[in-house]
Amino acid sequence: MTRTTPLVLALCTASLLASQPANPGPEELDAAVRQGVAVLLKLQEGPDEKRAAEEKRAAEEETQRAQWPYEGVYRVKGQIPIGYRVGGTAIAVMALVRAPGYAEDTTRTAAVGRAVDFLCEAIEHPLMSTDDFDGGYDVRIWGDIQGLLCLSQLTSLGLVGEQRRERVDKAIAFYLDGVLRLEMPQTGGWNYARPAGRETKGNPSVFVTAVALQALFAAAQAGCSVPSAVVDRGLTVLEKARTPAGSMVYSGAAGPTDRTSDGVPGATGRMTLAETTLVLAGRGSVANVRGAVDAFIVHWEWLNKRRARPGTHERPYMVAPYYFMFAHQYAAQAVELLPRSEREEYRRRINELLFSVRQEDGSWNDRVFARSAGYGTATALTALLSPGIEPARWPPAKP
């Protein structure tokens, strides 16, 4: 894999970082996290804001505010799909509970409690069921992945109270079953954009597969039974996706290709995630993780060109806006797998990049949709808090 030396990395990024804010210190980071938490609490919404406003019943409106839906261009019957509502809410919950002072913050714990209730109730939604799944473009897998990851992490952290234990366990089992049943046939791995037909062979997506695997790792750590064969197939998908240059193809296996979208500039949003996931399962290397983080920093401007822009995959590298914050979260996660002596400098660089695109109100958003500030802010907070987050590994550690 092509490596970027520290000297080359410094030269390539010097001009990029020159116009950005100075390295945020501990106080600035703490303030940004506190403000980000406030932003998320303000953005939490209910299923029918119009009805709540018309009734002007503050108490009822408060109990209805349970979601942080992710908003993109995709709709189901004109509505944000349930998979995006579950996924966005789960991501926000994970950020809120990781931020310092959670246990003592009654406003935050109440907001998380409502959100957890929503995640448990969502398993009854007909479009979250896998019984009628028949391939095609279908984002319910994001709900299964993020719902499983969130509730498993809450369980491992001891943040599920007895009053919710039975419902959370039932929801975890539901989301785990969804992930297992939506595995790509014949190849293993996962993708939300598939050929029609449940059993039709297709190409697994690298970034969906890697997040699904991390959700399975978290489920196993929380005490669930996860088939090792499913995990092994997913890890093999990631290994086969790596090109000789070190990038990760968007989907399928690497091979002779001239697609610029599979080159390093267009792949930086998934390289760190894939290489980190392999290391967490004992099948990767720190050298590959470092190379992926270097590539993310050096080619960051190509991601930034697509931030908060209309459309999705655009030339030359076919980067979609929704990879921007996603990429920052997993670049920050990757840094924590590097040798301790290297982490501080890499954290500094990633934090500078994050602060350079922070909004005046303390939020982050890589979409043209205001509602997606919840997702963007949650991923940014997770990135900033990564030094204190220990991701689950495979095989799971014994209690």
Side-chain angles (χ1 to χ4, degrees):
M1 177 175 180
T2 302
R3 297 282 172 260
T4 307
T5 67
L7 177 59
V8 171
L9 180 61
L11 292 174
C12 288
T13 58
S15 60
L16 172 66
L17 298 178
S19 61
Q20 295 174 5
N23 176 32
E27 292 185 359
E28 292 172 287
L29 290 173
D30 289 345
V33 170
R34 289 194 301 271
Q35 192 169 7
V37 167
V39 166
L40 284 180
L41 294 176
K42 183 179 179 180
L43 289 174
Q44 192 176 30
E45 63 182 68
D48 191 346
E49 290 291 309
K50 183 179 179 181
R51 176 182 62 79
E54 288 174 347
E55 293 178 353
K56 296 182 179 180
R57 294 175 58 183
E60 179 178 344
E61 184 178 356
E62 183 68 16
T63 60
Q64 292 294 318
R65 292 176 59 236
Q67 304 177 40
W68 288 274
Y70 172 79
E71 183 174 11
V73 297
Y74 180 61
R75 296 287 191 276
V76 175
K77 296 182 179 180
Q79 302 296 316
I80 295 177
I82 184 64
Y84 280 172
R85 287 186 171 274
V86 171
T89 300
I91 290 169
V93 166
M94 288 184 281
L96 287 173
V97 301
R98 295 290 190 177
Y102 171 72
E104 297 76 33
D105 188 341
T106 56
T107 301
R108 208 188 323 171
T109 55
V112 167
R114 294 192 299 272
V116 170
D117 288 340
F118 164 70
L119 295 178
C120 293
E121 294 163 3
I123 68 175
E124 305 297 335
H125 194 290
L127 293 183
M128 280 305 299
S129 171
T130 57
D131 292 340
D132 62 347
F133 176 79
D134 198 34
Y137 194 100
D138 193 307
V139 299
R140 78 187 74 191
I141 184 60
W142 282 118
D144 288 322
I145 290 171
Q146 298 297 344
L148 178 63
L149 181 59
C150 173
L151 296 180
S152 295
Q153 287 188 351
L154 292 181
T155 298
S156 293
L157 291 170
L159 296 178
V160 178
E162 285 303 315
Q163 74 276 18
R164 291 188 173 93
R165 167 57 55 199
E166 185 175 347
R167 284 179 293 159
V168 167
D169 287 347
K170 180 180 178 181
I172 288 176
F174 175 90
Y175 291 128
L176 173 58
D177 181 68
V179 173
L180 297 179
R181 294 181 67 183
L182 293 179
E183 183 191 17
M184 296 288 289
Q186 303 179 53
T187 62
W190 293 266
N191 200 340
Y192 64 93
R194 298 169 52 161
R198 179 190 287 265
E199 299 303 324
T200 304
K201 182 181 179 181
N203 287 324
S205 166
V206 167
F207 80 101
V208 183
T209 296
V211 181
L213 286 170
Q214 291 203 21
L216 292 177
F217 300 169
Q221 185 180 60
C224 296
S225 177
V226 176
S228 59
V230 174
V231 172
D232 289 341
R233 286 193 292 268
L235 294 170
T236 299
V237 164
L238 300 185
E239 291 173 333
K240 288 183 176 180
R242 188 188 296 113
T243 71
S247 69
M248 291 279 179
V249 299
Y250 184 83
S251 63
T257 178
D258 58 359
R259 293 186 301 179
T260 56
S261 61
D262 287 337
V264 172
T268 55
R270 54 186 178 267
M271 288 166 60
T272 53
L273 166 62
E275 297 294 359
T276 297
T277 304
L278 286 167
V279 168
L280 291 175
R283 283 173 59 167
S285 74
V286 172
N288 283 351
V289 172
R290 183 186 296 108
V293 177
D294 285 348
F296 167 80
I297 296 172
V298 170
H299 298 290
W300 179 86
E301 190 58 35
W302 285 108
L303 283 170
N304 193 39
K305 287 178 184 293
R306 295 294 301 130
R307 176 176 56 87
R309 297 292 191 272
T312 52
H313 298 275
E314 300 287 345
R315 296 182 185 281
Y317 297 113
M318 309 304 287
V319 176
Y322 45 79
Y323 289 115
F324 185 79
M325 295 308 304
F326 180 92
H328 285 75
Q329 176 180 339
Y330 288 104
Q333 182 189 62
V335 166
E336 301 310 312
L337 296 184
L338 299 178
R340 290 185 181 276
S341 61
E342 301 177 19
R343 295 177 195 171
E344 192 60 37
E345 175 62 12
Y346 278 107
R347 289 170 184 161
R348 181 185 71 80
R349 291 181 179 274
I350 292 175
N351 288 343
E352 283 183 338
L353 294 172
L354 270 174
F355 270 67
S356 75
V357 295
R358 185 172 174 239
Q359 304 297 308
E360 290 185 2
D361 66 352
S363 68
W364 282 266
N365 194 350
D366 57 12
R367 302 310 308 271
V368 295
F369 310 103
R371 179 182 263 140
S372 284
Y375 162 80
T377 303
T379 52
L381 290 181
T382 302
L384 294 175
L385 296 167
S386 286
I389 299 175
E390 180 64 33
R393 294 176 179 262
W394 184 265
K398 294 182 180 180

